[in-house]
Amino acid sequence: MQISFLVSFFLGLFLFVVPCLAAEETEDQRLFLQEEGADFHGRKRWYDYAMDPDPGSCLVQISPNYAESAPCRIAVLPFIDEGTGSYVLNEIRWPGRRGEALDIWRWTHSQRLRRMVHGYLAAREFDLIPVALVDATLAAHKISSDRLLDDTEPQLLGRFLDADTLVYGKLSTYRSYYMLLAAGWRVTLSIRMVSAISGCEIFSGTATRNIIGLRIATNPIDLALASIANLVHLRDVTLRRGEDEACRELVVRVPHPPRSARSATDIVQKALPVITSPALSPQKGALPAVAFRVPLRPWNSSSLSNLPPERFFLPEQQESTHGKKNPLDYLIDLDPSRFQTVASPDLATDRPFQLAVLPFVDRATGGNFLLNGVPAKPRSRAEQDRWKWTTANRLRRGMATYLGQRDFWVQSPALTDMILQQMGWHTAGDMLREKVERVADWLGVDALVYGEVQDSVAIYALLYSAWRVGLRVRIASGRTGRTLIEVTGQRQDSTLLPAIFPIDIAISSVLAAGFLRDITLKRAEDELCREIALRIPVPNVPPFSPSTERTQKVSLPFSEPTLSPRTH
């Protein structure tokens, strides 16, 4: 009797819950709601440092004048590697890189973190000038080393790049450690944001991130096994995680610019035009006498005299493979991820450069926190709407981050949302009904990025726990409306803690539950977006022409008489 009652109860619960979840998925998702934890998602807390373990830190300084010089249009300049480009293990430089190879790897190390900072800023409310265009402009003006960069006033660089804020970076620690029971990577990055109008520093920070594997052993056999197992932490993908998190910790601490700093009209006019050549020609005499609003201030060089100059614009090593998981990584991480890419023949001739990442749609969670596929706690309808928007928008920002690192010009998601709201969009149905060409014309971009969250669930089974996230991304041409490429992928970030004795099982179960933290969810989301972005071909960057200045004109939707906002 009891067994039949339990079977009937769970069968009834299953038949009740599944249709409800299906009904949630078919409902039209509301857009532009308040995002839950937008400023703290992925930001490490004290218990994250304790559980990882990570003796790292992140310290920032914000100028009292930040609000007056709030960034809008940012150029991330080449970062400086204070090392020599050598592979360092336990403070020992390994031989094998000499001469030109050392210069190339020094440029590669600094360029990796520069692209990551650029990507995370691009996912914020700022307009970022693509790295490729920044480099082309600096090369045209013969700024080809760290010494020359430091000797150039920020105001002059701002005029060259048509930017109001410059980001400088310095990579001071980039090395690996292996000590039998502990192994991992250590990355230390410092950045500073300088106003290109006043020449004053408005933000600075230093982040140190340690990706460490720590195992405890009390007998020789366990010691030998743990020493071998710790070698897996010296992989390329774990280094990429440390780089990502060091950059993210700094960028999430950059304050939001006050709304009063610039009007909405100013933001649209500065963010939408795409400049494919520098604001000032490098030809002699091109700089007008009244180029600056304030007198130039001396720029103190921060380069260290005991280091050789770092050369810029060298071939970047492993650009398309750094951080991309190989079969061994999937096996070690217990990650049954899979990706499917479908590319159109049109991609060969229609290679977009300017992208707008539209709001993503959550088809997986119904606005609930799913634990083993079941809502963990009840939420009201309003809470479900906010969490559907939050879940989708987190992955949307992740895609904007990694597409920005691939030299695409990614329009600020905040600007995209502002324009779409002006056009009367309120739900995902409004977005999916509108023609691609029409929306691309509103936003002034070459292509649109659509996204659909297909999975977002926490898994817990005593000794095993995991986050599983799935996403489908589609890029459609703004010229023809056709789909250029579609990538579907899934990422499962998991941990397995084997145990035999009851006390060990209890301890491992608690540790496995501690794996289901916000920071580990963010890692799964980021790695999913990175794997998808690495499968998308890099854009055809517009040719650099120093003798001409070409600015693409775009139509502002709220000033175009033929495009009236939709009424509801």
Side-chain angles (χ1 to χ4, degrees):
M1 179 67 69
Q2 291 180 346
I3 295 177
S4 61
F5 171 79
L6 291 175
V7 171
S8 301
F9 173 79
F10 284 110
L11 180 60
L13 181 63
F14 176 81
L15 294 176
F16 174 77
V17 170
V18 171
C20 290
L21 293 178
E24 288 284 352
E25 292 178 1
T26 58
E27 291 180 357
D28 202 359
Q29 178 178 321
R30 294 173 58 196
L31 305 179
F32 315 123
L33 302 178
Q34 180 180 357
E35 185 176 345
E36 299 287 345
D39 295 332
F40 298 97
H41 180 51
R43 181 171 173 174
K44 299 195 74 172
R45 298 165 174 83
W46 64 268
Y47 50 83
D48 293 315
Y49 287 102
M51 295 187 68
D52 277 346
D54 177 14
S57 63
C58 184
L59 302 175
V60 300
Q61 290 184 340
I62 303 171
S63 169
N65 300 322
Y66 180 87
E68 300 175 5
S69 305
C72 180
R73 191 177 182 86
I74 300 176
V76 182
L77 302 177
F79 284 7
I80 310 303
D81 180 9
E82 290 192 332
T84 63
S86 300
Y87 177 78
V88 179
L89 176 63
N90 294 342
E91 306 295 336
I92 300 174
R93 291 191 179 94
W94 283 55
R97 296 176 183 172
R98 298 183 179 88
E100 183 79 5
L102 284 176
D103 290 338
I104 290 175
W105 277 102
R106 193 178 177 193
W107 166 254
T108 297
H109 292 165
S110 58
Q111 189 78 343
R112 286 174 176 176
L113 280 88
R114 176 196 182 193
R115 290 184 180 276
M116 294 173 198
V117 169
H118 172 95
Y120 282 114
L121 286 171
R124 293 277 305 269
E125 61 273 35
F126 309 112
D127 180 35
L128 271 292
I129 302 173
V131 168
L133 290 184
V134 172
D135 288 351
T137 304
L138 295 179
H141 290 275
K142 311 299 183 185
I143 304 174
S144 57
S145 72
D146 57 339
R147 301 289 197 270
L148 295 174
L149 182 65
D150 280 349
D151 290 339
T152 306
E153 289 84 357
Q155 295 96 326
L156 189 60
L157 290 172
R159 294 292 294 174
F160 288 161
L161 298 166
D162 192 30
D164 60 24
T165 305
L166 308 174
V167 178
Y168 295 80
K170 181 177 63 176
L171 177 61
S172 56
T173 306
Y174 196 82
R175 59 196 60 176
S176 58
Y177 294 92
Y178 178 69
M179 295 171 285
L180 297 182
L181 298 181
W185 295 91
R186 182 180 179 89
V187 178
T188 300
L189 174 68
S190 300
I191 66 169
R192 53 195 183 113
M193 303 178 71
V194 177
S195 170
I197 299 174
S198 65
C200 297
E201 183 179 290
I202 59 176
F203 175 89
S204 64
T206 300
T208 298
R209 180 70 180 97
N210 300 274
I211 297 289
I212 297 177
L214 178 64
R215 297 175 185 268
I216 306 299
T218 57
N219 60 71
I221 296 179
D222 292 341
L223 177 62
L225 294 176
S227 300
I228 296 173
N230 273 333
L231 290 173
V232 304
H233 292 282
L234 300 180
R235 293 173 292 147
D236 176 75
V237 70
T238 54
L239 170 60
R240 180 61 190 257
R241 291 168 186 164
E243 296 168 340
D244 270 351
E245 294 187 11
C247 297
R248 185 174 68 239
E249 288 290 323
L250 288 170
V251 173
V252 297
R253 287 169 169 80
V254 176
H256 295 280
R259 294 185 178 181
S260 59
R262 292 176 176 86
S263 66
T265 304
D266 292 337
I267 294 176
V268 172
Q269 290 176 349
K270 287 180 72 67
L272 281 179
V274 173
I275 296 177
T276 57
S277 62
L280 293 177
S281 170
Q283 297 176 357
K284 185 176 181 180
L287 183 63
V290 290
F292 309 106
R293 299 180 182 178
V294 296
L296 293 178
R297 301 182 181 182
W299 180 250
N300 296 324
S301 175
S302 61
S303 300
L304 300 180
S305 57
N306 60 338
L307 288 176
E310 179 174 341
R311 295 164 54 198
F312 293 164
F313 321 128
L314 299 175
E316 189 174 344
Q317 300 298 301
Q318 303 173 353
E319 181 178 357
S320 60
T321 59
H322 179 52
K324 188 174 183 178
K325 301 184 76 171
N326 56 44
L328 180 61
D329 294 320
Y330 286 111
L331 178 63
I332 293 173
D333 292 341
L334 302 176
D335 180 10
S337 298
R338 56 188 183 276
F339 292 86
Q340 181 179 5
T341 304
V342 179
S344 167
D346 295 338
L347 191 60
T349 56
D350 189 357
R351 190 73 66 85
F353 172 56
Q354 308 158 250
L355 300 180
V357 185
L358 299 184
F360 284 9
V361 180
D362 179 8
R363 302 291 190 192
T365 69
N368 296 294
F369 172 67
L370 299 182
L371 179 61
N372 296 334
V374 178
K377 63 178 181 179
R379 284 175 176 167
S380 66
R381 178 61 181 274
E383 290 176 327
Q384 289 177 343
D385 287 341
R386 286 199 305 272
W387 276 103
K388 280 196 288 187
W389 168 254
T390 297
T391 300
N393 218 39
R394 286 175 174 177
L395 288 166
R396 176 196 184 194
R397 292 182 185 278
M399 282 307 307
T401 295
Y402 290 100
L403 288 172
Q405 295 179 22
R406 299 277 287 167
D407 282 334
F408 289 99
W409 190 311
V410 180
Q411 189 177 84
S412 165
L415 175 60
T416 300
D417 289 351
M418 183 184 69
I419 296 175
L420 297 181
Q421 289 182 79
Q422 290 280 348
M423 296 312 301
W425 284 16
H426 298 284
T427 66
D430 297 334
M431 174 179 63
L432 299 176
R433 283 190 295 267
E434 201 67 66
K435 288 186 176 181
V436 174
E437 304 94 309
R438 183 178 174 89
V439 179
D441 182 62
W442 292 348
L443 301 175
V445 296
D446 300 331
L448 304 178
V449 181
Y450 294 84
E452 181 180 295
V453 181
Q454 297 185 323
D455 203 357
S456 182
V457 61
I459 302 171
Y460 177 67
L462 293 182
L463 304 181
Y464 176 83
S465 60
W467 291 104
R468 189 176 67 225
V469 186
L471 179 65
R472 181 170 69 92
V473 172
R474 178 173 66 93
I475 299 181
S477 170
R479 183 171 58 87
T480 64
R482 299 174 183 172
T483 297
L484 298 176
I485 188 170
E486 181 176 303
V487 184
T488 303
Q490 185 184 83
R491 172 77 175 96
Q492 187 160 311
D493 194 4
S494 59
T495 184
L496 176 64
L497 303 174
I500 299 177
F501 299 103
I503 185 64
D504 294 334
I505 293 176
I507 295 174
S508 296
S509 299
V510 173
L511 293 176
F515 178 81
L516 298 177
R517 291 170 286 137
D518 176 76
I519 186 69
T520 52
L521 171 60
K522 178 63 175 177
R523 289 173 191 162
E525 294 170 343
D526 276 0
E527 293 194 8
L528 171 63
C529 295
R530 182 173 70 236
E531 291 283 342
I532 291 177
L534 287 173
R535 287 165 169 79
I536 298 174
V538 294
N540 291 328
V541 180
F544 175 78
S545 177
S547 60
T548 60
E549 185 173 329
R550 297 174 297 172
T551 303
Q552 178 178 343
K553 301 294 184 180
V554 297
S555 57
L556 300 183
F558 26 81
S559 62
E560 183 70 38
T562 60
L563 301 179
S564 57
R566 184 185 293 103
T567 58
H568 290 265

